């Protein structure tokens, strides 16, 4: 039987303001508050609110059948809590239906998985703690920023306790293989890999309202026929996209939400089920390893790292940012920590792209890639100085052993937490058996003694 794994990402970049060279050292606030509020409110009204409302309706109308997954970056959560709290409430309602699984990703939606393992681990833990506090969900499956994946990243993700990971079904990696199977990480066989079907996903997220597309207009029955006609042995179709595809990339006037609502009924007719990523990882065994030495992503035709690290400017900016990574990890300054999260976001590096065709790409406040680079480097210049001033007497060689000590302490605490949880479960089990034993014993009969007078 075929399974559809439907996943949506929510991420909003924190827009930076125009920051001049002469602001370095005197202005430590880097953000365009007006643009941040405007963008999150518009996206929420045009996409998130109607899309989440539709998903809730689908869950209630198809109880136990319709299922989906969702992930949120820390940047988007911070913006939503301040400017669009109704979106948070809708996500809580969706999770309460039992149909939606929340999966993990790095808090900053950044490139830490490529540059600093300790930062990457902290980012993921930070996001998981935030999600658990807001939605009462403990993520078991992971999806990296922009679906970035490699064998090394998979090994780290597996060591953090995740059972599965979502990534791209990149053609240059799969070759003749199909994305409609579950694979496992080459360096960590316990980590299942769910690969995006980019063609079927982008039929919805990119091509749905394209009047020049041969399949336009696309109806739910036609779409489900495509899935039904896949080879019988291909059990899994992973449809991964940004939530803003519903209402922003594809306007509400295109009836994209009507199309979405019709999918469960058409799936039922064909015996096709919906499943969450965790359910897929539990029910479908991997058919073999997926070897990915060079990192892949779900962006652009190349499906690689070129959108963020494709030119010298991007690489220099990324190197400069992560040069203070270890110092940021050991500091307790909340303002530094928040700036660190927002400055890591991938969009900051995407604005510097000089790839073919990028001259017409969205760049926010910037006129060109060079303008984006100059502005970002001015901000990084101020940020790095602030971080270095926190520990003026420590060099990097002294910080490295300190980081090792902190990491060892964290691992020791995590082991103790696991041992405590295990002992608590054992104690509850013993208590339960003892109570059952007491209740199953027959009441002892007492003989009344008579006193002879």
């Amino acid at each position: 039987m075929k399974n559809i794994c439907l996943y949506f990402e929510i991420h909003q970049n924190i827009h930076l303001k125009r920051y001049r060279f002469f602001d370095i050292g005197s202005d430590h606030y880097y953000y365009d508050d007006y643009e941040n509020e405007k963008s999150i409110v518009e996206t929420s009204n045009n996409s998130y609110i109607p899309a989440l409302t539709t998903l809730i309706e689908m869950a209630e109308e198809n109880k136990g059948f319709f299922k989906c997954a969702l992930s949120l970056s820390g940047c988007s959560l911070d913006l939503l809590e301040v400017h669009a709290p109704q979106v948070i409430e809708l996500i809580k309602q969706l999770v309460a239906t039992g149909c939606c699984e929340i999966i993990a990703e790095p808090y900053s939606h950044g490139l830490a998985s490529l540059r600093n393992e300790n930062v990457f681990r902290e980012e993921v833990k930070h996001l998981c703690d935030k999600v658990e506090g807001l939605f009462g969900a403990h993520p078991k499956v992971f999806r990296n920023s922009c679906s970035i994946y490699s064998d090394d990243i998979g090994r780290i993700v597996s060591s953090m306790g995740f059972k599965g990971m979502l990534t791209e079904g990149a053609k240059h990696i799969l070759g003749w293989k199909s994305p409609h199977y579950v694979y496992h990480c080459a360096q960590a066989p316990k980590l299942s890999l769910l690969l995006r079907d980019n063609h079927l996903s982008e039929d919805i997220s990119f091509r749905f309202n394209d009047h020049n597309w041969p399949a336009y207009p696309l109806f739910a029955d036609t779409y489900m026929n495509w899935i039904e006609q896949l080879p019988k042995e291909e059990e899994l179709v992973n449809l991964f996209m940004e939530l803003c595809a519903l209402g922003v990339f594809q306007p509400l006037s295109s009836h994209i939400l009507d199309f979405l609502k019709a999918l469960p009924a058409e799936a039922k007719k064909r015996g096709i089920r919906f499943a969450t990523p965790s359910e897929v990882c539990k029910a479908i065994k991997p058919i073999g390893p997926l070897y990915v030495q060079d990192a892949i992503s779900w962006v652009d035709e190349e499906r690689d790292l070129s959108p963020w690290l494709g030119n010298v400017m991007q690489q220099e900016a990324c190197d400069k940012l992560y040069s203070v990574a270890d110092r940021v990890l050991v500091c307790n300054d909340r303002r530094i920590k928040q700036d660190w999260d927002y400055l890591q976001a991938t969009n900051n590096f995407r604005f510097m792209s000089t790839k073919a065709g990028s001259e017409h790409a969205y760049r926010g406040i910037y006129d060109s890639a060079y303008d984006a680079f100059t502005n970002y480097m001015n901000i990084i210049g101020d940020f790095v100085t602030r971080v270095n001033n926190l520990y003026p007497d420590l060099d990097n060689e002294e910080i490295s052993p300190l980081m090792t000590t902190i990491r060892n302490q964290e691992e020791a605490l995590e082991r103790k937490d696991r041992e405590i949880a295990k002992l608590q479960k054992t104690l509850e089990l013993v208590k339960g058996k003892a109570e059952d034993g007491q209740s199953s014993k027959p009441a002892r009969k007492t003989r009344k003694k008579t006193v002879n007078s």
Side-chain angles (χ1 to χ4, degrees):
M1 182 178 286
K2 285 185 168 49
N3 298 270
I4 294 175
C5 183
L6 182 62
Y7 156 78
F8 299 101
E9 177 207 39
I10 293 180
H11 169 63
Q12 282 285 308
N13 187 42
I14 305 290
H15 293 276
L16 304 177
K17 69 180 182 182
R18 182 65 67 178
Y19 194 90
R20 310 294 181 184
F21 176 79
F22 298 103
D23 294 326
I24 299 174
S26 60
D27 182 3
H28 304 318
Y29 191 77
Y30 311 134
Y31 313 109
D32 186 337
D33 291 334
Y34 172 78
E35 186 60 34
N36 284 321
E37 180 177 0
K38 176 174 171 285
S39 62
I40 193 65
V41 169
E42 285 183 354
T43 304
S44 296
N45 290 336
N46 295 331
S47 173
Y48 296 161
I49 292 173
L52 288 168
T53 301
T54 298
L55 291 174
I56 292 169
E57 291 172 358
M58 293 169 69
E60 292 174 345
E61 292 170 4
N62 303 274
K63 289 184 178 179
F65 180 76
F66 175 74
K67 296 172 184 177
C68 63
L70 195 68
S71 77
L72 305 94
S73 69
C75 296
S76 61
L77 280 171
D78 290 349
L79 286 172
L80 290 169
E81 284 184 298
V82 175
H83 302 297
Q86 63 271 42
V87 174
I88 301 291
E89 293 306 313
L90 285 171
I91 295 171
K92 289 180 181 179
Q93 290 180 39
L94 182 61
V95 172
T97 65
C99 86
C100 180
E101 177 181 8
I102 303 291
I103 65 176
E105 67 170 70
Y107 196 92
S108 70
H109 200 267
L111 302 173
S113 60
L114 304 169
R115 293 301 176 118
N116 191 299
E117 181 176 335
N118 290 326
V119 173
F120 181 51
R121 289 177 178 274
E122 186 183 74
E123 292 267 326
V124 177
K125 185 178 184 303
H126 187 188
L127 192 281
C128 288
D129 291 343
K130 182 88 171 181
V131 163
E132 195 158 9
L134 280 173
F135 309 114
H138 183 72
K140 298 177 182 178
V141 176
F142 181 77
R143 184 257 183 188
N144 201 6
S145 314
C146 304
S147 294
I148 293 172
Y149 175 80
S150 70
D151 294 337
D152 290 332
I153 294 172
R155 171 185 53 79
I156 298 169
V157 170
S158 179
S159 71
M160 288 190 280
F162 292 103
K163 304 302 181 185
M165 183 170 176
L166 277 53
T167 187
E168 175 68 14
K171 291 180 182 178
H172 68 280
I173 294 297
L174 284 172
W176 55 269
K177 297 177 183 177
S178 168
H180 302 141
Y181 296 94
V182 176
Y183 297 85
H184 68 71
C185 173
Q187 293 186 16
K190 290 184 179 180
L191 183 74
S192 295
L193 299 178
L194 280 62
L195 308 184
R196 173 178 178 255
D197 183 317
N198 55 67
H199 185 78
L200 285 170
S201 298
E202 291 174 5
D203 283 344
I204 297 176
S205 60
F206 290 154
R207 289 181 282 272
F208 183 81
N209 197 41
D210 183 359
H211 291 234
N212 295 317
W213 181 36
Y216 178 86
L218 179 62
F219 294 99
D221 57 348
T222 302
Y223 191 77
M224 280 299 164
N225 284 339
W226 293 345
I227 294 176
E228 184 185 27
Q229 290 163 8
L230 292 170
K232 185 177 180 180
E233 63 274 11
E234 297 186 2
E235 297 181 85
L236 180 64
V237 177
N238 296 309
L239 305 176
F240 303 161
M241 64 197 78
E242 295 179 62
L243 187 62
C244 62
L246 310 177
V248 176
F249 301 162
Q250 306 303 321
L252 297 178
S253 60
S254 69
H255 299 284
I256 183 70
L257 296 182
D258 294 325
F259 168 83
L260 191 71
K261 285 190 73 173
L263 290 179
E266 294 298 330
K268 278 183 182 178
K269 291 178 185 177
R270 295 160 177 78
I272 299 171
R273 298 180 300 189
F274 286 85
T276 64
S278 287
E279 289 175 342
V280 170
C281 293
K282 188 175 181 180
I284 304 179
K285 291 184 178 180
I287 62 168
L290 184 73
Y291 295 95
V292 186
Q293 292 185 340
D294 297 321
I296 57 175
S297 75
W298 75 349
V299 178
D300 291 352
E301 286 295 321
E302 296 84 359
R303 315 290 185 193
D304 59 10
L305 303 180
S306 59
W308 313 281
L309 298 172
N311 62 47
V312 175
M313 293 185 298
Q314 293 169 310
Q315 293 162 16
E316 182 180 346
C318 194
D319 290 343
K320 186 70 173 177
L321 175 66
Y322 284 99
S323 68
V324 293
D326 290 340
R327 289 173 179 262
V328 173
L329 281 177
V330 298
C331 87
N332 293 316
D333 188 308
R334 292 181 63 185
R335 181 75 178 275
I336 291 284
K337 291 281 193 180
Q338 185 181 63
D339 291 340
W340 174 244
D341 286 333
Y342 297 165
L343 292 175
Q344 285 187 80
T346 55
N347 310 60
N348 294 316
F349 302 98
R350 186 74 188 271
F351 291 150
M352 305 176 201
S353 176
T354 53
K355 289 180 66 175
S358 65
E359 61 271 14
H360 301 299
Y362 173 72
R363 297 189 190 276
I365 63 172
Y366 308 117
D367 297 325
S368 66
Y370 308 99
D371 185 28
F373 172 72
T374 301
N375 200 70
Y376 186 76
M377 290 303 282
N378 286 341
I379 291 173
I380 292 299
D382 182 78
F383 178 73
V384 168
T385 301
R386 288 166 59 206
V387 173
N388 288 333
N389 286 342
L390 291 174
Y391 305 101
D393 299 325
L394 287 177
D395 57 28
N396 289 334
E397 291 182 0
E398 293 175 299
I399 290 177
S400 183
L402 182 60
M403 280 303 307
T404 302
T405 302
I406 292 172
R407 183 63 193 159
N408 290 340
Q409 290 174 343
E410 288 177 350
E411 290 176 352
L413 288 171
E414 288 173 2
R415 283 196 300 271
K416 286 182 179 179
D417 288 341
R418 288 196 295 269
E419 288 172 5
I420 291 170
K422 188 176 180 180
L423 288 171
Q424 285 176 337
K425 285 184 180 179
T426 304
L427 184 60
E428 289 172 4
L429 186 63
V430 170
K431 282 183 178 179
K433 286 182 177 179
E435 289 172 358
D436 290 342
Q438 283 292 108
S439 61
S440 63
K441 285 183 179 179
R444 182 181 294 176
K445 294 182 180 179
T446 57
R447 295 173 61 188
K448 291 183 179 180
K449 292 184 179 180
T450 57
V451 181
N452 296 325
S453 55

